[in-house]
Amino acid sequence: MTYKEHLIFIDVRRDAGDCFWLPLANVCWSEEGKKQVVSIKGRPQDRFVDAAGAGNSAFQIAREWVDNRLRNRPSVKNSVI
């Protein structure tokens, strides 16, 4: 999926006890001509009884990460040259 010029790849996995599904996501983007990637795991309390719930959570976590990255990066307009 694409979100604000970032590619989000959703994945889920079972926990060690094979009881719950855990959310995972990889976010890819280009910055200054270089490809960047970050892997994001859900919090320890983000456990789901089905894979769909974990996948939805992973997408939400990835979108929040992208929003925070864009909000906190230095603005080119405000840079001093």
Side-chain angles (χ1 to χ4, degrees):
M1 308 174 190
T2 302
Y3 179 72
K4 297 184 180 180
E5 299 183 22
H6 291 67
L7 290 174
I8 298 175
F9 297 92
I10 302 302
D11 195 11
V12 295
R13 68 176 168 90
R14 295 285 236 172
D15 68 353
D18 212 27
C19 297
F20 296 101
W21 291 94
L22 306 172
L24 302 167
N26 289 308
V27 179
C28 305
W29 71 101
S30 291
E31 188 171 54
E32 298 178 4
K34 295 181 183 175
K35 295 183 187 210
Q36 308 288 331
V37 64
V38 65
S39 296
I40 304 167
K41 295 191 300 185
R43 301 165 302 194
Q45 65 267 32
D46 290 337
R47 301 179 308 164
F48 298 86
V49 293
D50 60 24
N56 290 336
S57 177
F59 183 63
Q60 187 67 24
I61 291 167
R63 284 182 18 178
E64 289 173 12
W65 186 91
V66 170
D67 289 340
N68 286 333
R69 186 186 98 68
L70 294 175
R71 188 178 313 114
N72 295 325
R73 73 178 179 184
S75 174
V76 173
K77 293 177 185 177
N78 296 331
S79 300
V80 176
I81 299 177

